[in-house]
Amino acid sequence: MNVIGNIHGGNDKVGFNVQHVRNVLRDERKKRFEISDAQAGLDLLHRLNEESGSKYFIRTEVDEENRLKCLVWIDPRCIMAYQSFGDVMAFDTTYRTNRYAMPFVPFTGVNHHYQSVIFGFALMRDEHASTFEWILRTWLEGVGNNPPLTIITDQDQAMESAIATDFNNCIYKSLTECVFEARWASFVEKYHLQDHKWLKGLYELKHKWIPVYTRNKFSAFQNSTSRSEGMNSYFDKYVSSATGLKEFIENAQKALARQFMREEEEDYVTINLKHPMKLHTTLEYHASCIYTKEMFRRFQDELVESSKYFVEKTDELVKKGREWGIMLEYSGLPCRHLLAVFTKKRVSEIPPYYINWRWTMHANRVDGVLPYNLDVGQSHEMTSTDRFNSMTMLTMSFCQSSIASKERYDYAVGVMNREIPILEKMSVDGIKSYESNSQAPNASDHEETILDPIMSQTKGRKKDVRFKSPIESIGKKEKPPRRCTYCQMEGHDKRKCASRLEDLKNVQESQYN
């Protein structure tokens, strides 16, 4: 458009806009490739699945017109991550940055470095209970029908119904920024909210969001959907509102690869760099040999605080010990009270019972057969930088698997010593092109091409009738009516003041005369 606008002397003189250009490109793509955007995205996933040795999980749902309604896909790396860190999962459906405004669902958790980690992706047309049920049931199938211990999400009735249907043994934690139960009575009395229907309904769900009711359930230090919301901003670097499905899937995979690369980088730092000590005790040193860098930092904070406590053996101590056990179940790390007892008892190592494996530096260690093959993309479409990044990710995973035992290490060294000389004999420019007979099925191989989805409609209320919580209304002052600074009358400003305009007119006439 900029080039055409320069030729014609400005974009306003061209006769069409950017959207017209996009429409022409879309039509030309369909004529040239005879395939829909949705089908192109699915073909990409099937090709990645074939390259990985059929390790992907891909499921679709279409409507009566054969238009894509729902899509769930799980990268094999996500399945591996879920096996290690799938005890707590968070998700929401607020992200709609794609051409069809379809809600995007990244199933999100945290790894042993307290970094975000993805357990799979979903795209959905609407936010009805039946759609949520299909998405959750399908995703659960993809991760081996092994539900998480805790699900953290926003407060949505359709979502809650689906979770109750498919995750009967999970904890649905609808977290709302409101007030704590201990001050609830005084709160509703102060603001005369005893009969407020919305607030009463929120109080009935207190066991799902008030910490005093959920502290005996493991949550991996999470108490809100901010992890999912942060993941949404992370994907903003890769997609936009004009991104089609094929490009969306491509960029989601790139974002996923970058995420796992960050985990590998943090693994290297944790294993190879020394952790600074604060108290220089044997207990602290033992923790530095167990936990990741981030978890060791949190352990140190508790250990330092434990020095402020005085321990005396009483009957009350037994009761407190039970409470500390509950706190251990909630976070997975020993609390300061427990560490104070360890120090009093001269405990030099953390007992195995108090060590949660998911926070240790080897929590993502690969045992047995490698659960995935990394997709490295189509080499003929990759730049040298793309090839370097892909090989870096592949070799880091190869190294991570090879250090698990001496037998693996010796075999890995043998493979590299045997294959590197063969690799160096190959031509620099002889990158093998992608063979057509190795591609995944394209549109012509399917019984019927899956058509593009329709534009998704937002389920939420319109802005002018949005319900406001009592918290928003409390203490909010009404704006005073607009007052003219010229005549001091209400209902208009200085620019539209009739008295001012009349005075200006009289001044101009007097100057003219």
Side-chain angles (χ1 to χ4, degrees), residues 390-440:
S390 295
M391 287 304 300
T392 300
M393 185 65 185
L394 181 61
T395 52
M396 290 179 71
S397 298
F398 179 76
C399 294
Q400 180 67 27
S401 179
S402 65
I403 64 175
S405 67
K406 183 179 183 301
E407 181 182 5
R408 285 192 181 193
Y409 174 79
D410 292 339
Y411 175 77
V413 172
V415 169
M416 297 185 71
N417 289 335
R418 181 174 63 251
E419 298 298 331
I420 288 178
I422 300 175
L423 181 67
E424 291 178 342
K425 293 178 182 179
M426 293 182 179
S427 173
V428 175
D429 297 324
I431 301 174
K432 186 178 179 181
S433 61
Y434 195 90
E435 300 295 340
S436 59
N437 60 3
S438 65
Q439 292 183 359

Side-chain angles (χ1 to χ4, degrees), residues 120-366:
F121 301 103
L123 284 165
M124 51 199 295
R125 177 186 295 180
D126 53 55
E127 297 175 274
H128 298 154
S130 59
T131 304
F132 277 122
E133 289 178 12
W134 187 91
I135 291 290
L136 292 173
R137 184 170 59 251
T138 304
W139 173 80
L140 189 60
E141 177 190 352
V143 294
N145 290 310
N146 182 27
L149 297 176
T150 304
I151 297 177
I152 301 177
T153 184
D154 56 8
Q155 191 178 13
D156 184 283
Q157 292 183 353
M159 194 182 299
E160 181 179 4
S161 174
I163 293 174
T165 301
D166 297 298
F167 298 85
N168 291 327
N169 59 338
C170 292
I171 308 300
Y172 166 72
K173 298 176 65 178
S174 179
L175 301 175
T176 307
E177 293 183 3
C178 194
V179 296
F180 295 102
E181 190 219 11
R183 300 182 179 178
W184 187 276
S186 60
F187 170 79
V188 296
E189 182 179 356
K190 180 178 180 180
Y191 297 106
H192 308 290
L193 299 171
Q194 293 89 341
D195 299 325
H196 197 285
K197 184 178 180 180
W198 176 82
L199 206 59
K200 290 174 66 176
L202 185 64
Y203 182 73
E204 291 176 357
L205 299 175
K206 59 182 180 297
H207 60 287
K208 297 181 178 180
W209 61 273
I210 295 181
V212 70
Y213 293 100
T214 60
R215 65 178 181 175
N216 63 334
K217 305 297 180 182
F218 183 71
S219 65
F221 293 102
Q222 299 182 84
N223 57 7
S224 72
T225 57
S226 59
R227 179 69 58 171
S228 294
E229 294 163 3
M231 187 57 61
N232 294 343
S233 62
Y234 176 76
F235 278 99
D236 277 337
K237 303 174 184 177
Y238 296 88
V239 298
S240 68
S241 58
T243 303
L245 285 184
K246 181 177 182 295
E247 186 182 359
F248 189 95
I249 293 171
E250 286 177 336
N251 291 337
Q253 289 297 118
K254 291 179 181 178
L256 182 67
R258 175 55 186 157
Q259 191 177 76
F260 279 100
M261 186 177 293
R262 289 170 56 194
E263 180 178 314
E264 296 287 353
E265 292 170 352
E266 198 64 23
D267 281 341
Y268 178 86
V269 172
T270 292
I271 295 174
N272 294 283
L273 299 184
K274 291 184 179 180
H275 303 309
M277 300 290 152
K278 291 184 178 180
L279 300 182
H280 299 276
T281 63
T282 54
L283 188 65
E284 183 182 19
Y285 175 76
H286 182 242
S288 70
C289 299
I290 296 174
Y291 295 118
T292 61
K293 183 181 70 172
E294 172 61 22
M295 289 303 113
F296 177 64
R297 182 190 65 79
R298 293 174 181 243
F299 176 89
Q300 277 186 316
D301 291 341
E302 293 296 310
L303 185 62
V304 171
E305 290 296 320
S306 71
S307 61
K308 302 177 182 179
Y309 290 84
F310 176 76
V311 178
E312 183 179 358
K313 185 177 180 180
T314 61
D315 293 338
E316 186 69 16
L317 187 61
V318 178
K319 180 180 178 182
K320 287 293 183 181
R322 298 193 191 101
E323 295 181 3
W324 300 336
I326 291 177
M327 296 180 67
L328 179 69
E329 292 179 6
Y330 177 76
S331 66
L333 283 179
C335 66
R336 59 194 64 177
H337 314 91
L338 197 58
L339 294 178
V341 176
F342 287 170
T343 303
K344 177 70 174 181
K345 290 289 188 179
R346 300 182 183 277
V347 176
S348 59
E349 293 186 355
I350 304 173
Y353 171 78
Y354 297 100
I355 299 174
N356 190 321
W357 175 257
R358 64 115 58 227
W359 295 132
T360 63
M361 59 178 63
H362 297 296
N364 62 345
R365 187 180 65 191
V366 179

Side-chain angles (χ1 to χ4, degrees), residues 437-451:
N437 60 3
S438 65
Q439 292 183 359
N442 55 30
S444 61
D445 298 318
H446 295 278
E447 293 183 1
E448 187 176 359
T449 300
I450 294 181
L451 303 179

